[in-house]
Amino acid sequence: QVQLVESGGGLVQAGGSLRLSCAASGRTFSSYVMGWFRQAPGKEREFVAIISRSGLTTLYKDSVKGRFTISRDNAKNTLYLQMNTLKPEDTAVYTCAAGPLFISTQDKYPYWGQGTQVTVSS
């Protein structure tokens, strides 16, 4: 198993940047595909980005391509999401997840953090 704890959320103006972190417990972090998902008020949770075990392969939701960058440091057991040029529609609770497959489908991720709030003001 792996336990995940997010940090780095907050309030930012449109056009600003934030970097989210997801700290993982245990010594098996590098064996998991990692992902970021988000849930806006009144909406279902959606895929944002995923990264392979090695960090060499990534996949992004179309609306965040070119603005968000997912990365990982396996030596530090930490996942990151650098978010630039933020828009009000990026406002959501962002949650990291760990799973065995490189896939954006949420139900393939058995391990989830508690989430961190990102609010983008216009």
Side-chain angles (χ1 to χ4, degrees):
Q1 289 190 352
V2 60
Q3 293 183 329
L4 306 171
V5 179
E6 301 94 338
S7 62
L11 173 64
V12 63
Q13 289 187 335
S17 299
L18 281 175
R19 188 176 83 154
L20 306 183
S21 298
C22 171
S25 65
R27 295 176 290 179
T28 59
F29 176 74
S30 61
S31 67
Y32 293 102
V33 171
M34 298 297 297
W36 285 101
F37 298 81
R38 69 185 183 186
Q39 186 169 20
K43 295 186 178 181
E44 293 187 353
R45 188 167 57 190
E46 63 180 7
F47 153 76
V48 175
I50 58 174
I51 188 167
S52 63
R53 294 172 182 80
S54 66
L56 294 178
T57 304
T58 57
L59 181 67
Y60 294 93
K61 176 180 174 63
D62 284 347
S63 63
V64 307
K65 285 181 181 177
R67 300 189 297 123
F68 291 10
T69 302
I70 188 172
S71 62
R72 66 190 296 163
D73 186 335
N74 287 339
K76 295 182 177 180
N77 285 4
T78 304
L79 173 73
Y80 303 100
L81 184 68
Q82 178 67 45
M83 305 185 294
N84 298 328
T85 319
L86 283 160
K87 304 176 181 180
E89 51 263 44
D90 295 319
T91 295
V93 175
Y94 285 71
T95 306
C96 62
L101 302 174
F102 189 79
I103 190 169
S104 61
T105 308
Q106 296 180 45
D107 62 7
K108 301 302 183 184
Y109 288 80
Y111 306 110
W112 293 81
Q114 83 289 349
T116 186
Q117 177 71 47
V118 172
T119 303
V120 184
S121 64
S122 57

